[in-house]
Amino acid sequence: MRFIFILLVSAIALQSAIAQVKQLRYETNISLRNEDFAVFPAGENGLVFLRQVRGEHKVDFFDVQVNLLDPFLRTIATDTLITDPSFELKRVIHENKQVFLIYEQSEIEIPSYKIVKIDFSSGRVQPFSIKNELPFDLVKAMSVRGKIYFGGYVRGVPTIMVFEEGKSTLSLLPVRPLSADFLDLSLNNDQESINLVTQERSGNVILLHVTTYGGTSMLFQKTIVMQNEAVTARSLGFINGNIIIAGTYGSNKLNLTQGTFMVSVQPGKDKDVVHYHGISEFDHFFDYADVNQKERLTEKVERKSVSGNDIKFNKVLFVNDLQLVGDELLMDIEMFQLVPRQIARQRRVRNSYGNFGGSRSNPHNGYGNNVFADALYPDKLRLFRKLFFESPSENAEVIPEFLQRWSVGFDPNGLVKWDNSMAVQEQDRASAAPLTAAAFDDTVLRYGYKHEEGIVYAESSFGSTKGEEFIFPLVLKNENESLVYELNDVNGLWSINNDVFYAWGSHRVKGDSGRRNVIYINALFFPEVIN
C-alpha cells in the first residue's frame, strides 16, 4: 500500500475560475470487482479503512482487515480480526484515540453484542463479548467518557443501555415506560451529558420529550407540546443553560414535510416556545430545481402559506447535525426525492442507500451483501426502510435520489438568520447519494459532493449568498494512468477538521502497463478561501 502527495496546480472551475488544492492519495490493488470494504471517519485521528479478506482459520469464512490511517493517509497500524459470521457490523464510533466496532448477533430477537476496541496510538485491538437479556432494536450508539451508550427500542419503548469496560452485561438507564418514536441521542457540548429525544401522541396531542443523562444518572427531563409532528430532529446543550432541539416537521394530516422547527428547552421553566419556519421563509429550499420550476414552486408555497393550507411536498429531509458555531446554531440537512423503482431504472439512478426488497419481509441494504453497509449510513438506511415499509403497495418500491445539501443558520432564540445550499446537478444525482459533505469553520460554510471523476466544491461566508463552484478532478497515483470507471456504489465523502474532504471508493484505472482495479482514498485540503 502506498500514498503519494500531490499539489494540484490548477483545477477546472465551473465558472472559468482557477484555484489550487492539495491532494493526497492512498490506494491498494484489488482482484475482485465487488470486494467488500468501507472507510469510516475517526475525527482528528484520521480514518478507519475496513476490508474483508479470506479467513485463515475457517474455510469459506472471511475476516476483516483493519487499517488505521492518519489525516495524511499514512498507515498507523494494520491488523486482522477473526470474525463470527453470525454477527453483523452495525456501528463504527470513536472517542479520543479509541475506535469501536460494534457487532450485533443477526436474525435473533434477543441479540448479543461484540465490541472491538482499537487504539489509534498503539494499534492495540481488544475484543469484548456482551450478554443482553432484552429484545433490543439498536438505533444509535455513542461513546462518552469510556462508556458506550446503546440507544434503541425494547418492544416499542425508547431505551438506553450502557456498556462499561470490565463488565460483560449491559446496564439499563431509567426511561419512561411508554411507546414513542426515537428521534435523537446526542452528546452535549460539555462532552459528558447526553440527550434522548422522543415523540409520542396522547390522543390528538403531540408530545416531544427530552431526557438528559450524566453518566448513568438521569439529570433532567421535560415534555414539550407540539403543534406539528417532528419528522427528524437533533439536540444540543447547553446553550445559555438550555437544551436546543431542532429538526423538520410534517403535516399532521398527510405527514408531508412542511418546514423546520426549533425549541430552546429551559430547565425550571413552565413553558417552552416552539418556533416553526415554513418552507416559504427560506431562500434556497428549491435550489435543486431549474429556474422556472423554482419560481413556480416558490409561488405555490407562498399561496399555500397565506391560505394556511398544507403543502403537498413529497421530498424527504434528513437532519445530519446541529452545531453551535460562534453565536449561531447551524442545522445541516440532506434532501431526497423518492423515485419509483421502474422510473429509477429508466433514468439509471443507482441505489446507493437501500434496495429494501424483493419484499418488505426481507429488505436488504443498497450494497447487496456488503458486510459494512449497515454501519456506513445507519440513520438514513433506517429512515428509508421505514418509508418503504409504509408504502401503500407491496410493489411500490421507491429509491431515494439525492437532491441537495441544505443548511440553516438560527440565532439562539430559534429565529432563522439565513439558509444556503449546494444542489447536485441532475446528471450527477445517480452517483451522489451518499457522496456529499458539509463543514462549518468559524464563519465559513463548505460544501462538496463527489461524482465519478472528482469533487464539486463551493464555500462561502455564513449567509444566503452562494459560493462559486469548482470541480477538482481526483488525482491518480501515476501520471500516465487515467480513470476508466467506478467499480460499484460502495464509496463516500467525509469531512474532517472542517477543511479536509476525504473521497473514497474503488475504480478501474488504465495506463501503459494495462488496467488495474484499486481501492482509493483521496484527501483534498482546502486551507484557504477560494477567490
Side-chain angles (χ1 to χ4, degrees):
M1 299 181 190
R2 302 173 61 187
F3 67 91
I4 183 167
F5 181 88
I6 298 174
L7 175 63
L8 186 62
V9 185
S10 63
I12 304 169
L14 293 183
Q15 301 179 9
S16 302
I18 300 298
Q20 290 185 343
V21 60
K22 292 181 180 180
Q23 282 198 52
L24 294 171
R25 181 169 172 97
Y26 170 103
E27 70 174 42
T28 181
N29 291 334
I30 54 175
S31 58
L32 300 176
R33 175 171 178 171
N34 294 316
E35 179 174 323
D36 287 358
F37 68 95
V39 177
F40 297 86
E44 295 181 356
N45 299 309
L47 300 168
V48 179
F49 164 36
L50 302 181
R51 182 180 184 181
Q52 195 176 49
V53 295
R54 187 166 294 281
E56 298 180 0
H57 302 82
K58 295 181 181 180
V59 179
D60 296 329
F61 285 166
F62 288 87
D63 295 333
V64 174
Q65 184 187 82
V66 180
N67 303 277
L68 305 182
L69 307 178
D70 73 7
F72 298 98
L73 303 183
R74 296 173 296 209
T75 300
I76 298 172
T78 298
D79 205 341
T80 300
L81 303 179
I82 301 172
T83 58
D84 184 336
S86 65
F87 282 75
E88 296 178 352
L89 182 66
K90 290 298 183 181
R91 299 293 185 274
V92 176
I93 60 177
H94 69 271
E95 182 187 17
N96 299 325
K97 291 293 184 180
Q98 277 74 47
V99 173
F100 302 91
L101 312 184
I102 300 177
Y103 285 84
E104 181 183 67
Q105 198 172 10
S106 58
E107 299 180 2
I108 187 169
E109 184 181 8
I110 302 178
S112 295
Y113 291 89
K114 293 180 184 291
I115 294 178
V116 179
K117 177 184 175 182
I118 306 170
D119 189 281
F120 247 88
S121 299
S122 64
R124 184 187 180 195
V125 176
Q126 284 181 277
F128 301 93
S129 296
I130 306 171
K131 297 178 182 178
N132 169 44
E133 299 177 350
L134 295 172
F136 189 65
D137 177 14
L138 178 64
V139 176
K140 192 165 185 177
M142 62 195 307
S143 176
V144 183
R145 299 282 179 106
K147 297 181 176 67
I148 297 180
Y149 293 83
F150 290 70
Y153 293 96
V154 173
R155 298 187 180 94
V157 176
T159 302
I160 298 179
M161 298 191 292
V162 182
F163 168 72
E164 299 181 66
E165 257 187 70
K167 298 182 179 180
S168 60
T169 59
L170 296 169
S171 57
L172 191 64
L173 295 192
V175 295
R176 303 166 75 235
L178 298 172
S179 295
D181 292 327
F182 188 113
L183 291 181
D184 184 47
L185 182 66
S186 290
L187 177 66
N188 288 319
N189 57 15
D190 60 5
Q191 302 302 306
E192 183 174 3
S193 60
I194 62 172
N195 303 318
L196 169 65
V197 180
T198 61
Q199 180 176 249
E200 64 203 55
R201 282 184 176 269
S202 178
N204 294 324
V205 180
I206 303 167
L207 301 175
L208 193 69
H209 189 84
V210 57
T211 305
T212 300
Y213 298 90
T216 57
S217 302
M218 182 186 295
L219 302 179
F220 163 80
Q221 61 177 331
K222 197 170 187 182
T223 300
I224 302 99
V225 178
M226 300 281 287
Q227 295 178 3
N228 302 90
E229 185 169 347
V231 179
T232 59
R234 291 290 182 267
S235 63
L236 179 64
F238 295 91
I239 313 300
N240 298 325
N242 303 326
I243 298 170
I244 304 296
I245 304 174
T248 61
Y249 71 92
S251 162
N252 291 329
K253 296 179 180 179
L254 301 174
N255 197 28
L256 300 173
T257 299
Q258 302 297 300
T260 69
F261 76 91
M262 179 176 284
V263 56
S264 179
V265 182
Q266 306 175 69
K269 299 286 185 178
D270 292 334
K271 189 176 182 180
D272 301 297
V273 178
V274 183
H275 296 276
Y276 297 94
H277 303 283
I279 294 173
S280 62
E281 296 183 38
F282 299 103
D283 296 326
H284 295 288
F285 192 88
F286 295 116
D287 281 1
Y288 64 86
D290 62 38
V291 175
N292 292 332
Q293 185 185 17
K294 180 178 179 179
E295 185 176 334
R296 291 195 301 271
L297 288 169
T298 301
E299 291 177 354
K300 181 179 179 180
V301 165
E302 289 176 349
R303 289 197 307 270
K304 293 282 187 180
S305 178
V306 170
S307 64
N309 294 325
D310 288 334
I311 301 164
K312 294 183 179 180
F313 181 75
N314 62 351
K315 304 299 185 285
V316 178
L317 272 63
F318 178 83
V319 180
N320 269 311
D321 198 11
L322 179 66
Q323 297 183 30
L324 178 67
V325 182
D327 62 349
E328 296 188 18
L329 287 154
L330 274 62
M331 187 161 58
D332 174 35
I333 300 171
E334 289 181 89
M335 185 183 297
F336 302 82
Q337 65 181 359
L338 300 178
V339 181
R341 185 174 185 177
Q342 189 62 34
I343 295 176
R345 283 176 175 172
Q346 296 171 3
R347 292 167 51 186
R348 297 182 179 179
V349 174
R350 295 207 305 263
N351 182 15
S352 298
Y353 278 123
N355 200 2
F356 316 133
S359 69
R360 288 188 223 174
S361 60
N362 184 30
H364 58 78
N365 59 61
Y367 299 147
N369 295 318
N370 187 296
V371 297
F372 307 118
D374 276 351
L376 270 173
Y377 308 103
D379 295 337
K380 274 173 281 198
L381 277 171
R382 191 176 187 90
L383 175 62
F384 294 142
R385 283 170 177 159
K386 177 183 177 183
L387 293 170
F388 173 67
F389 291 154
E390 292 178 349
S391 297
S393 168
E394 175 74 24
N395 297 319
E397 183 179 348
V398 291
I399 289 175
E401 181 182 23
F402 186 84
L403 295 177
Q404 68 180 19
R405 199 82 180 225
W406 182 51
S407 301
V408 182
F410 299 89
D411 68 18
N413 296 317
L415 302 180
V416 173
K417 296 182 67 174
W418 55 268
D419 73 304
N420 212 320
S421 76
M422 172 180 266
V424 175
Q425 300 300 315
E426 188 169 358
Q427 65 269 23
D428 292 328
R429 289 178 185 170
S431 60
L435 310 180
T436 66
F440 312 113
D441 182 15
D442 296 328
T443 60
V444 178
L445 173 63
R446 292 184 170 93
Y447 288 117
Y449 75 84
K450 177 184 176 294
H451 58 57
E452 288 195 351
E453 297 182 357
I455 302 297
V456 180
Y457 174 82
E459 67 180 37
S460 63
S461 299
F462 288 179
S464 295
T465 302
K466 293 178 71 74
E468 185 177 10
E469 293 186 358
F470 298 82
I471 296 179
F472 295 105
L474 292 180
V475 173
L476 302 182
K477 175 183 174 182
N478 301 317
E479 291 183 358
N480 66 344
E481 288 185 323
S482 60
L483 173 63
V484 180
Y485 53 75
E486 289 280 334
L487 293 177
N488 53 43
D489 291 339
V490 186
N491 44 80
L493 181 69
W494 300 120
S495 171
I496 298 180
N497 298 336
N498 297 323
D499 58 359
V500 187
F501 284 174
Y502 294 91
W504 60 274
S506 62
H507 50 213
R508 177 168 294 179
V509 296
K510 65 178 181 179
D512 296 340
S513 58
R515 299 190 176 199
R516 300 184 299 128
N517 294 340
V518 299
I519 297 172
Y520 67 88
I521 307 172
N522 278 54
L524 292 87
F525 292 80
F526 300 98
E528 303 291 340
V529 174
I530 297 173
N531 297 315

